[in-house]
Structures are given as structure tokens and as C-alpha cells.
Amino acid sequence: MKTPRINIFPPRTRRFAVAIILLLAVKPAKTAPVVWSGVDASNNVNTNWSDANNWTGGTPGPANDTYFFETGANGIQKIVNNIVDGNTKILSLQYGNTNGFHTTQINPGATLMVSNNAAANIVFVGTGTDNGASQTSYSAMTGSGSFTVADTNTGSLFVVQQGSINNGSHLATLDLSGLASFNLTAGRLMVGSANPGSAGSNWLCGTLYLAGTNNIRVNGASPAIDVGDCISNGGTNHVYLGQTNVIFADSMTIAHSKATCTLAFNPVLAGSNPTLYLAGNTNSRVSALAIGDFSAQSTSASTTSGNVDFSGGTVNAQVDSCYIGRGQTGNGSGPTSGTLRLGAGMFNVNTLNVGYVSVSSAVGGVSGTFSVTNGTLMVNCNLDRKS
């Protein structure tokens, strides 16, 4: 007599259970973070990312948050101490070194990709804490490879900043000027402007040098590119463009509140005619470009100063509304200034506001300067100076 066959699940239920198991199997789980230790590098073996001996937690992969702190740092700036020796994909990246320097080389043909879909810091340069008014953190990337950051979540952030409760020489720097290619897709690009007013986010200071060729697209909340922004006390911030730059952003502010900020071509590129193409992400034009914008404040005695200097290269900018110097909305005495210098190329704007006084009762002085060397300013609708 045959033994009867017993089904634990009916056939349809059994197939469903298998499908669930397969679905879970292909979804990578977030694993423990990996931290650069440079053990083999310190033993003069190699400095490769692919060598597990150079890491605490194993070699970095698609499910790993990847960190560079003090261990394995170099005592000399811009000396390569870690090498991306092949295509590598990671979940997030932080350079948070407080002593020494990290310089990442990306080898020819290799790409370091930071890929995520979370509303979080996908790249962070700086400690993210208050390490004192003199804390600096300098990191660099170099080589003929490519650095790609991809997160389409509108809440994702690419951040360069160091903050302190006290004013001082603290600064976070990310120097990509020795790198061939940089590609960024994220919610917001923030230099000295992330989480203003929170712990470790006062007197925010950051400097970002872009790579040789740069493609940047941001889709987050306004301003999607935010350089210098703090509701308490602002710092000094810089962004330097590379040889070739393409930027798509719906909103962009240089010196948002209580900060002194500069956007310019890297001075080392003088004479090489660097270029910038600037347009909107959603539409063909940047909806709002502000240079020196103090309108979020009403009673501050601080200073806001924004400087955008395109005189060293060629620009093709498509903008809807632009403010060059935009004042406070109340009786605050703090002054606001904005400067835009255009060299070769075209700055095409629908509405241009220069030295804009937000309300007639405002007290703080407002100044705006626009200069054109050998390019073209095209104002399609309104050129306004409200006073």
C-alpha cells in the first residue's frame, strides 16, 4: 500500500511562499559599515580598496556605508593613501578625518559609485559634530577615473561642512580638482548649509573644488543648491567650478543667510577657458537664482554677502528669476550684498532684480552689482532695482 503524500501547503499557497523567498533573496540588506584602516598601506603592501586588510569590516560593497576617519590618514595633504583599483559601488561615503588627510585615487577606467535611494546624507565631508572652533577636515580625490553619486530621492543630500558653536578657523574641504570626472544626482548639494541651527551646525564653513568634467543634477527642496545658510551664525563658503561644468537645478542660492560665499571657476584654470552650462532640472530655466539672499531673516545684525564670478570662463545660463542682493524683511541692521560678474557667453534671464529691498520698512542696507566683461546679458521681461 502506498504511503499517502501530504502537502503542508496547498499548491497555490506553496508557489506564493516560494515567490516571497525569491523576492527577499534579490534585495540586498544593509550590512555593517566599513572603515578605512590602511593596515596593508602602513605595511607598504598596497593601498587598494579591494584589499580587505585595508578595512575594518571587510571590503566596501553596495550595502556598506563607507567611512574615512583618523586611522590610515596621511600626514601630508594631497598624497594618495587609498586607491579605487576597480569599479566599486557603495551605499554612502563620509570623510570625517580630524587629524591627517585622505586622498583617494580612482584608477583609469574605474568608477567609484555611491548609490542609494534614501532621504539621507549620501556623501558627507566633515565630522558632523562640534569638534571645536579650529577643527579642519581636508579630503581629496584624484586620478583619471570617475566619481559618481546617484540618489534620486528628493531628500538626499551631498554635504560639505564643518560647524562649531564658536566662530573660528574650522573648515571642511573636498577637493576634486585632480579628478577627471564627477557626476552627481541627488536631492540637494549643500556647502556650509545642512541642518542650520542643529548640533554641530553653527558657523558652518565648507569648500568644494569640482573635478575636470562635472555633471550635476539636483531635484530637492529650494534651494536645491545651497551655499552658506545658517539661522544662527553663518560662515565662509566656497565652490570652485572645473574645466567643464553642466548643472541642472530649479533653485540655487549663494549666501542664503548670515554667510559670506563665493561661486567661481577654479583660479588655477585661468587662461584655459573653462565653461558652465546652467539650466533648470524640471524646466528649461533655473526657476530661482539668488546671490546674497537675506530675505529669510528680519531682525539680524549679521552680514550676508554672495559673490558669483564667471569672469574667468564662458557661461551659458538660462534663468527665470534672479536676485543679486536681497535684503531682510524687518528692522534688522545687517547688510546684504550680491555680486555677479560675467565674462564670455550668455546670461539669459527673464527677471533680474539687483539690490532688492524686500520691504519698504527694512533697515539693513542692500547692494547689488552686475558686471559684464565681454559676454551678453539678456533680460527678457524685467530689470528691477527695488528701493
Side-chain angles (χ1 to χ4, degrees), residues 8 37 101 123 128 149 162 165 222 240 253 257 264 279 285 315 386:
I8 298 176
S37 61
F101 309 97
V123 173
V149 179
Q162 185 64 35
I165 195 172
S222 178
Y240 293 107
T253 300
S257 293
R285 293 176 179 271
V315 172
K386 184 177 179 180

Side-chain angles (χ1 to χ4, degrees), residues 55-109:
W55 300 92
T56 299
T59 55
N64 295 117
D65 297 314
T66 304
Y67 299 101
F68 287 83
F69 295 131
E70 283 64 58
T71 306
N74 197 299
I76 303 175
Q77 198 174 94
K78 287 192 173 183
I79 299 297
V80 174
N81 71 315
N82 64 97
I83 297 176
V84 179
D85 50 319
N87 291 335
T88 304
K89 185 177 181 181
I90 59 177
L91 195 66
S92 70
L93 175 66
Q94 182 182 0
Y95 290 103
N97 39 299
T98 58
N99 293 288
F101 309 97
H102 289 295
T103 298
T104 300
Q105 176 177 303
I106 304 178
N107 277 351

Side-chain angles (χ1 to χ4, degrees), residues 16-360:
F16 177 73
V18 171
I20 291 294
I21 292 170
L22 291 175
L23 179 62
L24 293 175
V26 298
K27 183 179 180 181
K30 183 174 180 178
T31 58
V34 296
V35 181
W36 177 260
S37 61
V39 173
D40 270 13
S42 63
N43 292 330
N44 298 317
V45 178
N46 67 65
T47 56
N48 293 337
W49 275 44
S50 62
D51 185 350
N53 292 321
N54 282 323
W55 300 92
T56 299
T59 55
N64 295 117
D65 297 314
T66 304
Y67 299 101
F68 287 83
F69 295 131
E70 283 64 58
T71 306
N74 197 299
I76 303 175
Q77 198 174 94
K78 287 192 173 183
I79 299 297
V80 174
N81 71 315
N82 64 97
I83 297 176
V84 179
D85 50 319
N87 291 335
T88 304
K89 185 177 181 181
I90 59 177
L91 195 66
S92 70
L93 175 66
Q94 182 182 0
Y95 290 103
N97 39 299
T98 58
N99 293 288
F101 309 97
H102 289 295
T103 298
T104 300
Q105 176 177 303
I106 304 178
N107 277 351
T111 296
L112 172 60
M113 173 175 282
V114 184
S115 181
N116 207 324
N117 59 3
N121 295 330
I122 187 168
V123 173
F124 195 98
V125 179
T127 67
T129 58
D130 184 355
N131 277 31
S134 61
Q135 177 63 65
T136 60
S137 181
Y138 179 96
S139 303
M141 288 188 178
T142 189
S144 57
S146 178
F147 178 39
T148 296
V149 179
D151 189 336
T152 57
N153 193 306
T154 58
S156 61
L157 306 177
F158 187 110
V159 181
V160 181
Q161 69 181 34
Q162 185 64 35
S164 175
I165 195 172
N166 297 308
N167 190 13
S169 58
H170 55 278
L171 174 67
T173 300
L174 178 60
D175 187 350
L176 306 179
S177 61
L179 185 66
S181 175
F182 172 53
N183 305 287
L184 171 64
T185 300
R188 304 179 74 189
L189 171 60
M190 313 189 78
V191 179
S193 58
N195 303 318
S198 63
S201 295
N202 200 5
W203 296 104
L204 298 172
C205 298
T207 296
L208 172 62
Y209 292 87
L210 292 181
T213 299
N214 305 279
N215 290 277
I216 295 172
R217 184 179 291 273
V218 286
N219 62 359
S222 178
I225 295 179
D226 194 8
V227 182
D229 188 352
C230 194
I231 60 174
S232 297
N233 296 289
T236 301
N237 302 276
H238 300 84
V239 175
Y240 293 107
L241 301 171
Q243 182 65 41
T244 304
N245 310 272
V246 177
I247 299 176
F248 298 98
D250 287 338
S251 54
M252 184 172 177
T253 300
I254 309 301
H256 190 274
S257 293
K258 301 182 180 182
T260 299
C261 305
T262 297
L263 170 66
F265 290 107
N266 193 328
V268 302
L269 299 174
S272 63
N273 190 32
T275 61
L276 167 65
Y277 177 78
L278 177 63
N281 172 59
T282 305
N283 301 303
S284 60
R285 293 176 179 271
V286 179
S287 297
L289 170 62
I291 304 166
D293 185 359
F294 218 167
S295 62
Q297 301 286 323
S298 60
T299 60
S300 176
S302 300
T303 298
T304 294
S305 178
N307 175 42
V308 174
D309 189 353
F310 294 145
S311 61
T314 300
V315 172
N316 180 353
Q318 305 293 318
V319 180
D320 183 18
S321 178
C322 178
Y323 290 89
I324 305 175
R326 188 182 187 186
Q328 295 187 63
T329 58
N331 61 0
S333 60
T336 310
S337 65
T339 301
L340 175 57
R341 295 182 176 88
L342 180 66
M346 167 73 74
F347 190 88
N348 187 308
V349 58
N350 285 337
T351 300
L352 180 62
N353 302 281
V354 182
Y356 190 90
V357 177
S358 297
V359 294
S360 59

